[in-house]
Amino acid sequence: MKHDPPQHVQKGTGIPKGKGGRPVVGREAAPGALVRKLSLPGDVLRSGNDVELIAAIALAAAVILWLVALPQMNADQLNNFGLVSILPAAYWFALACVTGSFFLSLDTSCRWAVLRPLAVGVLILLLHATPPIVYETLRYSWAWKHIGIVDYIQRNGEVDRTAPFLAAYHNWPLFFWLTAKLANVMDLTSLQIANIVRFFPVFSSLGYAGLLYAIFRRFSHDYRLVWAAIWVFVCTNWVGQDYFSPQAFAFFLYLLVLAICLGPLLRPVSVPRKGFARRWYKLRTHLTRGAPKFPVVGPWMHALAAVTVCLAIWEIVAAHQLTPLILLNALLVLWILSGLSPAYAAFTALAVASWLVFPAAPFTALELPEQVSGVMKAWNGLTEKFVDTSVVDPQVAAVAWGGRILTLAAAMLAGLGWLRRFRSGGRDGTAVGLLVAPLPIVFFTSYGGEVIFRIYLFCIPFLAFFVAALFFPTNGAGRGLGTRSLLAVAAFLMAAGFLLGNNGKDRQYRFSPEEVAGASWLYQNAEPGTLLVEGARNYPSQFMNYENFTYVPLANESREAQDELLADPARTLSRWLRDDRWENGYVILTRSQKAYVDALGKMPDGALDRIEFELQSSADFQLVYVNRDVRIYTLSSLVGRR
């Protein structure tokens, strides 16, 4: 075995001496050396606590600057760049300060380990708490629809598994059922729930970060790599699946299952004596070379972990359609590469099959044939959810490309990071396996273009790990100022990219308090059996008494139907609302609907403004509710009937 040459210590200094009497620092330094390598040029940092102190001051400055920036943001001034368009200079300085603090906390001389999670926490506040504070309401239309399912359970005590509308939610209802029970205990109404869960992305992101720490620790002992990977995850998770939704709930449980399966549930595998089993053992050992070793837990802890995982698997199966399929793939990866018992994959498969056959039977009977027919045809619709940048507003196109560039950059950096780890001797087979585990889902679902964003969500943790590995491939690498400076620049740019990708559409996705008030009035006053004609689905919709109404979003109509409508809006809508199938009818037009339609070109330019003008001018229609951002019309002949 090759040994380093003996080192000599200069008398009176305590500094190890190498060849030629030069001080030894960095990787050459003896473990017991009394001096640490300084991170900044010119020996700027003189005392042991300088790095910690500067990092703490920068972190405090970030919080103060953020608080200063919040009152300066006016949500009414949003343009098609979204939140980025109203961020003041103080916010960007806050983001730079928290990035700098995190950069300093990764210095090997920083002894305050708490600074790293605190910096990640402040980053999450800056990215995820800013919109709900500035907008004052719950953003994104689907979050309001999810509250509508909670409201249904609160009023009826159960779901309707034969419901024709939002049927999947009624057949995978655990997330809504738990929320409804909690809301009942706290005596919350739909609007009160909405006011609380607007901060859901903050709590979900904090939960993800905590679980990822446990997962990444199973891939590396290097705290710099672990925390840098968590930072990268927070910044690259721009697809917005952390909002109040079953997907966010199921993803949290997915990470929980992985953390436990990579930890207490792993048992040492005995070496087979011969045959295929021995060859496979050697291959698996090679593929996972470099992974940290941890002590085996006791039988009681192992049993508790097994029960927790089985309970989490059942909750995932009862809450979401897609996540159990990805989880099954991940558990198979852990069985093949890490020696996890195959019983957990078998339990997942059995739970999925049982749920489809029993609780979700009404949905399965109606939808399964269509789902099966869509298998292997998913490629045809992979891009259907992508914004067509050739027909939309240039600012909207820039936002779309911002998210795409961030994703491509993360994938490229992750590839380079894996290569650097590989060349350094690590194989990371488990991390690579978990990275590719979601990919086969594209062939076995009929989610269409939506599946791309879901697959990316489940890939992000392991992409983030390899992006961080580009800077810290081994425990001894990445100690220089240059490496960490590049990381700081990349970290800031990724955070800025998140703001563009995640919040770039907030002119559409943000709903004003006036819009919430208008929608609330409508859902409280419209009778069951009412037709609701919407400019678009993009407003705070269906969060109360949703099953009582039939919805017709004009933006979803064919171009031929839109042309007919715009030829004579008042006459066409009057005919729709007079149909004998409806007890009553309303037309609701809002600011966010217009922003959505105009930005994405869903209707001809100014179409909703023209419809509003025609209804206002027509004697057949009467304006029954109005505020700054909402207009609600009904037929004049129907007003006296109420």
Side-chain angles (χ1 to χ4, degrees):
M1 180 183 225
K2 184 178 179 180
H3 294 278
D4 292 332
Q7 297 174 334
H8 303 281
V9 180
Q10 182 179 1
K11 184 177 180 180
T13 64
I15 301 177
K17 302 299 289 184
K19 294 180 179 180
R22 292 172 300 173
V24 179
V25 295
R27 277 183 283 182
E28 293 184 290
L34 300 179
V35 72
R36 295 173 297 180
K37 181 181 177 183
L38 296 177
S39 300
L40 298 180
D43 291 348
V44 173
L45 304 180
R46 297 296 181 184
S47 66
N49 289 331
D50 279 345
V51 172
E52 295 93 329
L53 184 60
I54 295 174
I57 292 173
L59 194 59
V63 175
I64 294 172
L65 287 168
W66 178 57
L67 294 175
V68 169
L70 288 173
Q72 301 178 32
M73 304 181 204
N74 185 352
D76 292 332
Q77 296 177 355
L78 288 168
N79 63 22
N80 284 333
F81 281 120
L83 181 65
V84 176
S85 64
I86 62 170
L87 294 178
Y91 181 92
W92 294 108
F93 282 121
L95 191 59
C97 284
V98 70
T99 304
S101 175
F102 182 72
F103 152 73
L104 290 173
S105 74
L106 296 182
D107 191 289
T108 54
S109 65
C110 180
R111 294 176 295 181
W112 295 356
V114 70
L115 288 172
R116 293 183 281 274
L118 284 178
V120 171
V122 172
L123 173 70
I124 290 173
L125 282 179
L126 263 64
L127 298 183
H128 289 288
T130 300
I133 293 174
V134 174
Y135 301 164
E136 300 180 317
T137 62
L138 178 65
R139 66 188 284 272
Y140 195 46
S141 179
W142 277 102
W144 288 90
K145 293 176 176 62
H146 295 161
I147 292 176
I149 304 297
V150 174
D151 169 73
Y152 183 95
I153 297 173
Q154 286 184 291
R155 288 183 287 108
N156 297 281
E158 58 183 0
V159 293
D160 179 8
R161 298 195 183 275
T162 62
F165 187 59
L166 300 178
Y169 292 155
H170 284 271
N171 284 274
W172 280 265
L174 181 63
F175 172 73
F176 306 110
W177 184 86
L178 292 174
T179 305
K181 295 304 178 184
L182 181 61
N184 286 339
V185 170
M186 301 176 66
D187 195 24
L188 299 176
T189 65
S190 295
L191 290 178
Q192 290 171 327
I193 295 172
N195 192 46
I196 294 172
V197 302
R198 61 192 170 116
F199 292 98
F200 198 86
V202 177
F203 298 109
S204 61
S205 296
L206 289 172
Y208 299 159
L211 292 173
L212 287 174
Y213 177 82
I215 293 172
F216 294 154
R217 284 281 292 164
R218 293 290 166 168
F219 300 152
S220 174
H221 279 308
D222 189 347
Y223 68 85
R224 302 169 306 156
L225 173 55
V226 169
W227 283 108
I230 294 172
W231 180 286
V232 173
F233 169 83
V234 172
C235 293
T236 53
N237 184 22
W238 66 270
V239 290
Q241 294 296 328
D242 47 15
Y243 73 108
F244 179 71
S245 64
Q247 178 64 93
F249 174 72
F251 185 64
F252 175 85
L253 294 175
Y254 173 83
L255 294 179
L256 176 64
V257 170
L258 293 187
I260 298 176
C261 287
L262 285 166
L265 290 184
L266 284 188
R267 292 289 193 180
V269 180
S270 58
V271 182
R273 293 185 177 181
K274 58 182 178 179
F276 174 79
R278 183 173 179 83
R279 290 194 297 273
W280 177 248
Y281 175 84
K282 290 183 176 179
L283 177 61
R284 182 168 64 190
T285 302
H286 175 73
L287 292 176
T288 57
R289 189 174 68 187
K293 304 298 182 182
F294 290 87
V296 178
V297 301
W300 285 105
M301 181 62 70
H302 186 273
L304 178 61
V307 171
T308 303
V309 162
C310 290
L311 180 60
I313 290 172
W314 179 85
E315 290 175 339
I316 291 172
V317 170
H320 200 244
Q321 296 169 279
L322 185 62
T323 303
L325 304 180
I326 298 176
L327 176 62
L328 178 59
N329 290 347
L331 293 176
L332 290 173
V333 166
L334 294 181
W335 168 45
I336 295 171
L337 293 176
S338 299
L340 180 74
S341 170
Y344 299 104
F347 178 80
T348 302
L350 180 61
V352 171
S354 300
W355 192 269
L356 290 173
V357 172
F358 295 107
F363 181 90
T364 303
L366 292 176
E367 299 292 335
L368 189 59
E370 181 180 346
Q371 298 281 335
V372 173
S373 67
V375 170
M376 303 303 293
K377 298 180 181 178
W379 285 107
N380 297 330
L382 284 184
T383 60
E384 66 180 15
K385 291 290 184 179
F386 289 8
V387 173
D388 185 351
T389 56
S390 65
V391 300
V392 299
D393 182 275
Q395 292 178 338
V396 176
V399 168
W401 277 110
R404 297 173 190 179
I405 291 172
L406 178 59
T407 302
L408 292 173
M412 293 176 61
L413 293 176
L416 293 174
W418 172 83
L419 181 61
R420 196 172 183 199
R421 287 271 289 183
F422 186 87
R423 295 182 62 182
S424 299
R427 293 299 177 261
D428 299 304
T430 302
V432 172
L434 293 173
L435 172 62
V436 302
L439 300 183
I441 301 302
V442 72
F443 300 106
F444 300 104
T445 68
S446 59
Y447 266 59
E450 180 67 21
V451 77
I452 292 294
F453 299 102
R454 304 304 176 95
I455 288 175
Y456 177 68
L457 172 67
F458 286 88
C459 291
I460 296 171
F462 310 103
L463 284 174
F465 176 79
F466 287 114
V467 170
L470 178 62
F471 300 92
F472 306 114
T474 64
N475 288 351
R479 294 176 181 268
L481 177 65
T483 297
R484 285 177 290 111
S485 297
L486 287 175
L487 174 61
V489 173
F492 182 85
L493 292 177
M494 284 187 285
F498 172 93
L499 291 168
L500 191 62
N502 187 74
N503 299 106
K505 298 179 181 178
D506 280 1
R507 182 168 173 259
Q508 313 158 35
Y509 291 161
R510 170 256 174 179
F511 307 128
S512 67
E514 289 80 7
E515 289 181 278
V516 174
S520 179
W521 180 91
L522 179 62
Y523 293 129
Q524 291 182 38
N525 288 276
E527 301 174 4
T530 293
L531 174 67
L532 300 183
V533 178
E534 311 159 321
R537 279 278 165 83
N538 191 69
Y539 72 107
S541 64
Q542 301 168 5
F543 63 91
M544 184 188 305
N545 304 320
Y546 88 90
E547 77 279 6
N548 291 340
F549 315 120
T550 299
Y551 307 89
V552 178
L554 300 179
N556 291 0
E557 293 291 301
S558 66
R559 187 49 61 99
E560 293 76 14
Q562 291 179 7
D563 291 341
E564 178 186 356
L565 169 68
L566 293 175
D568 193 342
R571 183 176 180 179
T572 302
L573 291 174
S574 176
R575 186 176 73 250
W576 290 5
L577 268 59
R578 292 180 191 277
D579 193 303
D580 292 337
R581 291 175 293 175
W582 323 121
E583 293 293 329
N584 282 307
Y586 292 91
V587 179
I588 177 171
L589 303 173
T590 72
R591 179 209 58 82
S592 57
Q593 292 176 7
K594 296 175 183 177
Y596 172 80
V597 168
D598 292 344
L600 299 182
K602 294 292 184 178
M603 299 180 72
D605 291 342
L608 294 186
D609 285 327
R610 179 181 174 187
I611 291 172
E612 181 181 318
F613 176 80
E614 293 291 335
L615 297 184
Q616 184 69 35
S617 304
S618 173
D620 290 339
F621 283 87
Q622 182 170 330
L623 184 65
V624 293
Y625 184 92
V626 60
N627 63 35
R628 185 187 63 172
D629 293 329
V630 179
R631 299 288 189 276
I632 301 177
Y633 298 89
T634 189
L635 290 173
S636 301
S637 59
L638 296 178
V639 174
R641 290 169 46 183
R642 300 188 180 91

